[in-house]
């Protein structure tokens, strides 16, 4: 990152808007911005900028009972004309800076949630441990790398792939109660942990995020695809959207970042931060 556009976090508590607090906040923010403009951010600075809310607690934990039990953020990229992919993949509309943020968000998460189609199209592999985040993860009691959680009703997955056979942290498979018992056995035989998060063939978003939180995986990240993100948004469980806006036009009929039925009422998100590099905007929006 080489430029920073400071914004006021519109989701901040009302108490923080007192005149004195506003003045002090602006002074500190201005000094911080001046230090960061026109130079590349380190991974540690990016990790601070994208840190999850603290504290987060697992359901049933008596301490800090007012803290969120889990936090689900999404990381997506879109062109100026709304395409979430080009020729079926997102890499063509990404950038080096976008991949740095992609790696940072993974480096902070307990679990990365992805739909089966995205796993197949993008060729998902196990998340790896990275030295840049090792101390931070250890201090937060996290595993060396995030678990990958694949959402699939059919379990039509290649369980011979490294994602299942050689992950640093066992891969999770989220499915419904009506999933094929044979495919469930295939997944477990490959080393995956199968989690039932729905009474029918599919996964219910609220049950999926709750089941992961119950396992202590409270820092949650989804990388889509569009149908899965649409389901999370429609269920009201998406807390934050990290959206990269690429300075590209693709035309065509590529998917948007979300897919599915239209919401009865649009859900409002507040802008929390904007970074820029080479015309790419790296935005963060939080649900109000």
């Amino acid at each position: 990152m080489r430029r920073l556009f400071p914004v006021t976090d519109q989701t901040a508590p009302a108490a923080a808007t007192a005149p004195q607090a506003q003045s002090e906040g602006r002074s500190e923010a201005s000094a911080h911005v001046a230090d960061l403009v026109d130079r590349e951010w380190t991974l540690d600075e990016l990790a601070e900028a994208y840190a999850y809310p603290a504290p987060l607690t697992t359901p049933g934990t008596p301490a800090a009972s007012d803290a969120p039990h889990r936090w689900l953020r999404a990381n997506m990229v879109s062109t100026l004309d709304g395409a979430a992919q080009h020729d079926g993949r997102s890499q063509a509309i990404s950038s080096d800076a976008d991949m740095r943020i992609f790696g940072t968000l993974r480096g902070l998460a307990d679990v990365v949630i992805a739909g089966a189609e995205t796993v197949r199209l993008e060729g998902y592999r196990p998340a790896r441990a990275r030295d840049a985040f090792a101390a931070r993860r250890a201090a937060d009691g996290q595993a060396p790398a995030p678990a990958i959680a694949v959402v699939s009703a059919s379990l039509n997955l290649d369980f011979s792939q490294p994602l299942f056979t050689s992950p640093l942290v066992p891969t999770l498979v989220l499915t419904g109660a009506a999933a094929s018992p044979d495919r469930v056995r295939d997944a477990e035989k490959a080393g995956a942990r199968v989690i039932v998060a729905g009474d029918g063939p599919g996964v219910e978003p609220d049950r999926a995020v709750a089941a992961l939180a119950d396992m202590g995986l409270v820092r949650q990240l989804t990388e889509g695809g569009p149908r899965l993100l649409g389901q999370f948004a429609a269920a009201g469980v998406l807390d934050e959207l990290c959206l990269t806006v690429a300075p590209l036009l693709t035309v065509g009929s590529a998917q948007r970042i979300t897919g599915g039925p239209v919401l009865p009422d649009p859900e409002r998100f507040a802008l929390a931060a904007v970074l820029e590099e080479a015309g790419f905007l790296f935005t963060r929006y939080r649900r109000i």
Side-chain angles (χ1 to χ4, degrees):
M1 304 300 96
R2 297 187 183 279
R3 297 181 65 194
L4 171 69
F5 296 89
V7 299
T8 300
D9 187 345
Q10 299 167 44
T11 64
T17 62
Q20 182 177 1
Q22 277 191 326
S23 175
E24 293 172 354
R26 286 197 195 99
S27 176
E28 293 177 4
S30 299
H32 187 56
V33 169
D35 178 55
L36 294 175
V37 167
D38 292 330
R39 71 170 176 83
E40 186 168 289
W41 287 27
T42 65
L43 286 178
D44 195 54
E45 287 170 335
L46 282 177
E48 288 293 333
Y50 282 90
Y52 279 82
L56 290 174
T57 64
T58 55
T61 302
S65 58
D66 292 337
H69 291 320
R70 54 105 191 123
W71 188 267
L72 175 64
R73 64 169 35 147
N75 181 31
M76 300 293 282
V77 59
S78 171
T79 63
L80 294 175
D81 52 350
Q85 53 191 222
H86 185 62
D87 285 339
R89 301 189 65 185
S90 60
Q91 185 174 1
I93 60 174
S94 182
S95 68
D96 289 344
D98 184 45
M99 294 310 297
R100 279 170 61 82
I101 290 180
F102 175 91
T104 298
L105 295 180
R106 280 197 166 196
L108 298 175
D110 295 324
V111 60
V112 177
I113 312 168
E117 185 67 10
T118 296
V119 168
R120 288 189 289 264
L121 288 174
E122 302 283 355
Y124 265 50
R125 298 181 64 83
R128 58 189 179 91
R130 299 183 60 186
D131 292 342
F133 304 103
R136 185 182 297 270
R137 295 186 69 86
D140 288 336
Q142 295 175 282
I148 303 294
V150 184
V151 178
S152 176
S154 68
L155 299 186
N156 181 22
L157 300 161
D158 185 353
F159 296 118
S160 68
Q161 292 295 309
L163 178 61
F164 300 100
T165 60
S166 57
L168 183 61
V169 178
T171 294
L172 309 173
V173 177
L174 295 161
T175 192
S180 163
D182 289 340
R183 294 303 289 167
V184 170
R185 282 192 291 270
D186 289 342
E188 292 174 337
K189 186 177 179 180
R193 178 173 177 179
V194 178
I195 301 169
V196 175
D199 293 329
V203 169
E204 298 168 22
D206 55 341
R207 288 182 58 177
V209 296
L212 294 171
D214 285 341
M215 298 171 60
L217 305 176
V218 296
R219 302 172 187 87
Q220 300 173 0
L221 169 68
T222 181
E223 296 169 351
R227 185 171 64 174
L228 179 63
L229 182 55
Q231 291 171 349
F232 282 140
V237 297
L238 182 67
D239 299 296
E240 180 179 330
L241 173 63
C242 298
L243 176 64
T244 296
V245 181
L248 304 169
L249 294 174
T250 61
V251 194
S253 57
Q255 287 181 299
R256 297 158 47 191
I257 65 167
T258 59
V262 175
L263 293 177
D265 297 299
E267 186 166 13
R268 181 68 182 267
F269 279 65
L271 181 64
V274 184
L275 305 176
E276 183 272 346
E277 184 175 83
F280 283 78
L281 298 180
F282 305 94
T283 70
R284 289 177 64 200
Y285 288 88
R286 289 186 174 183
R287 185 171 50 146
I288 297 177

